[in-house]
Amino acid sequence: MLLPGDPVMLLSVINLKLRDNYPTLDQLCEDLEQEKDALCARLSAIGYEYSPEHNQFVRV
């Protein structure tokens, strides 16, 4: 799947998919064929990190 290049749009899409379709970030990355570390790095660059207890990227 082609994900948005804009980091804010990426955040929105990823959090929506995590909320509606995937119980973990690992499952989302596997299904969408995305590198977890690269995805986390892109969102970390705008101040967000993955929270397993919330299953969302949250502001740090």
Side-chain angles (χ1 to χ4, degrees), residues 35-56:
E35 290 291 326
K36 180 180 174 181
D37 291 339
L39 181 63
C40 288
R42 287 178 66 192
L43 295 175
S44 177
I46 61 166
Y48 286 82
E49 68 180 37
Y50 181 66
S51 167
E53 63 264 15
H54 296 105
N55 192 35
Q56 294 281 288

Side-chain angles (χ1 to χ4, degrees), residues 4-15 42-43 46 48:
D6 178 81
V8 176
M9 292 298 296
L10 176 64
L11 172 68
S12 178
V13 168
I14 294 299
N15 274 346
R42 287 178 66 192
L43 295 175
I46 61 166
Y48 286 82

